[in-house]
Amino acid sequence: MPPAVVLVTGVSRWLGGALAAELARDRAIERVIGVDTVPPSPEMLRRLGRTEFVRADIRNPMIGKVIATASVDTVVHMNISSTPAGSGGRGPMKELNVIGTMQLLAACQRAESVRRFVLKSSSAVYGASSRDPAVFTEKMQARRVPSGGFARDSLDIEGYVRSFARRRPDVGVVALRFTNFIGPRIDSVLTSFLRMPLVPTALGYDARVQLLHEDDALAVLTRATTGDFAGTVNVGGEGTLLLSQAIRRLGRLQVPLPSPALGSLGRLTRRFGYVDYSPEQMRFLNFGRVVDTTVLRDEFGYTPRYTTEQALADYATTVVPVIPPQVVAGVTERAQGLVARIGATAGTVGERLRPAPPSPSLRAVRDA
């Protein structure tokens, strides 16, 4: 049975607005209410169609009146910020993410009309470290628990949502752990990073990247809102790419830097508003993260239309190559040759400096 009244938070952003517009086209849904602290752009307002926009702050208890007055039965929580710059700093970002979610859940708990709650979460809850498994399933936890930033907020938010589900067992709760979004229209930290003509990366690392096309993200959100699935599900495209491969395919030039220099560069770019990638996101660019999508296909009932490679290729149509692909390939080949020569020289020197084996008549002694 389709929902009657749906409330979507964060409709001023592309994905939240696109979801509200998609739901508004479904005549089986009586009302679609979009909530945000700032009004959508004129273009987004035209796309929203019959969506009713309400300028409200989910951090304010007044959101409860909106839900109760409209007899909302389905709430889709999209208003979660992943970048401090987009929220006015780390403090306001945490307040929006954590305090805002708490106020929204409190309003849903009091409203007897609410029967479904959909959370746009992130695979960032798994963290990123050298101890990570090859693939994360929904039952796994982070090997290195995120200590701050968006990943920590996502963990806290999911914890509050699980507590809400225990208090209101009559509400179907869905937590969608999305991998990194990419596509021609969506704007994210990763797309901003990949648009840089010279892409800084950590020297000695080449992360595995799993992408999700914006159209697949929208389809999953729509199905989660109108369907009957309840639980946690990883959402990502099939296959992976190395970060170096993604950079080359976009006609960018990779600039490997030592980790301390990369950290200083990250602080500098955040300060001047070039690219807002935090230390936790830099760890992701070092180690990467891949999730298992068996539950998505078998239980949730959706198979992404785009693989990771296809999603990147579609995004590439909007990116003007700063460096021709043949030049990128040539530079990369020369760099790899230089690294190979350095490695061979180091190996030769190491062999010459290696101490001679002890005489068979002597027993080797090592420090404990």
Side-chain angles (χ1 to χ4, degrees):
M1 182 178 178
V5 183
V6 181
L7 183 140
V8 182
T9 66
V11 293
S12 293
R13 303 176 188 178
W14 184 86
L15 189 56
L19 174 63
E22 185 72 18
L23 296 173
R25 284 192 284 269
D26 188 351
R27 290 299 171 182
I29 301 175
E30 296 176 10
R31 296 177 65 185
V32 179
I33 302 173
V35 175
D36 213 322
T37 54
V38 295
S41 64
E43 180 183 357
M44 180 61 72
L45 276 175
R46 288 191 295 270
R47 289 190 58 195
L48 287 177
R50 64 185 180 96
T51 302
E52 305 168 32
F53 175 71
V54 177
R55 188 168 184 174
D57 193 336
I58 61 173
R59 292 168 289 187
N60 193 309
M62 292 294 292
I63 189 66
K65 290 189 176 181
V66 177
I67 295 174
T69 303
S71 297
V72 173
D73 60 13
T74 302
V75 175
V76 186
H77 187 23
M78 306 278 292
N79 197 8
I80 300 174
S81 176
S82 60
T83 58
S87 307
R90 173 57 186 151
M93 171 186 167
K94 185 175 182 64
E95 185 179 351
L96 173 66
N97 291 345
V98 179
I99 305 302
T101 301
M102 292 175 65
Q103 290 286 4
L104 181 64
L105 291 172
C108 292
Q109 183 176 340
R110 292 190 298 267
E112 296 181 359
S113 60
V114 174
R115 289 291 178 268
R116 190 163 184 80
F117 187 92
V118 179
L119 172 67
K120 181 186 78 69
S121 188
S122 169
S123 60
V125 298
Y126 298 119
S129 75
S130 57
R131 298 183 299 165
D132 288 349
V135 178
F136 279 103
T137 67
E138 288 83 355
K139 296 181 179 179
M140 293 182 179
Q141 297 179 344
R143 298 295 177 88
R144 179 181 176 182
V145 178
S147 58
F150 171 64
R152 180 73 250 183
D153 289 354
S154 299
L155 272 176
D156 293 341
I157 289 170
E158 285 201 8
Y160 295 135
V161 170
R162 285 193 294 270
S163 298
F164 166 76
R166 288 192 294 269
R167 294 190 299 269
R168 286 288 305 269
D170 58 314
V171 177
V173 175
V174 187
L176 304 171
R177 291 176 177 170
F178 289 104
T179 59
N180 289 85
F181 299 127
I182 201 167
R185 294 161 293 179
I186 199 167
D187 186 23
S188 67
V189 175
L190 184 63
T191 57
S192 300
F193 178 77
L194 293 176
R195 284 185 182 275
M196 300 174 68
L198 301 176
V199 183
T201 59
L203 183 65
Y205 295 92
D206 199 0
R208 293 178 305 149
V209 179
Q210 184 178 19
L211 304 175
L212 181 69
H213 194 275
E214 59 190 29
D215 291 344
D216 286 320
L218 180 58
V220 168
L221 283 163
T222 304
R223 180 182 287 261
T225 305
T226 58
D228 56 2
F229 176 86
T232 302
V233 55
N234 292 330
V235 186
E238 184 181 351
T240 62
L241 284 171
L242 295 177
L243 181 60
S244 59
Q245 292 177 312
I247 293 172
R248 288 197 300 270
R249 294 186 185 192
L250 293 175
R252 266 52 188 160
L253 186 61
Q254 181 179 358
V255 183
L257 298 174
S259 295
L262 188 62
S264 301
L265 180 63
R267 290 189 293 270
L268 186 66
T269 56
R270 288 197 304 275
R271 180 177 180 182
F272 291 98
Y274 295 129
V275 178
D276 184 24
Y277 56 97
S278 63
E280 63 176 283
Q281 290 157 345
M282 292 172 63
R283 284 194 294 272
F284 165 73
L285 296 175
N286 289 354
F287 303 109
R289 183 170 50 244
V290 179
V291 299
D292 179 82
T293 57
T294 302
V295 174
L296 175 69
R297 297 189 305 271
D298 297 347
E299 299 181 28
F300 187 83
Y302 183 81
T303 300
R305 293 170 47 203
Y306 293 83
T307 64
T308 291
E309 290 192 27
Q310 292 169 343
L312 182 71
D314 192 39
Y315 169 70
T317 60
T318 65
V319 179
V320 178
V322 177
I323 304 172
Q326 59 271 23
V327 175
V328 175
V331 172
T332 302
E333 184 178 352
R334 288 195 294 273
Q336 291 175 342
L338 177 61
V339 171
R341 289 196 296 273
I342 293 175
T345 302
T348 302
V349 172
E351 287 293 334
R352 292 179 179 177
L353 296 179
R354 180 176 297 172
S359 173
S361 60
L362 301 177
R363 186 171 62 183
V365 178
R366 292 184 180 180
D367 291 334

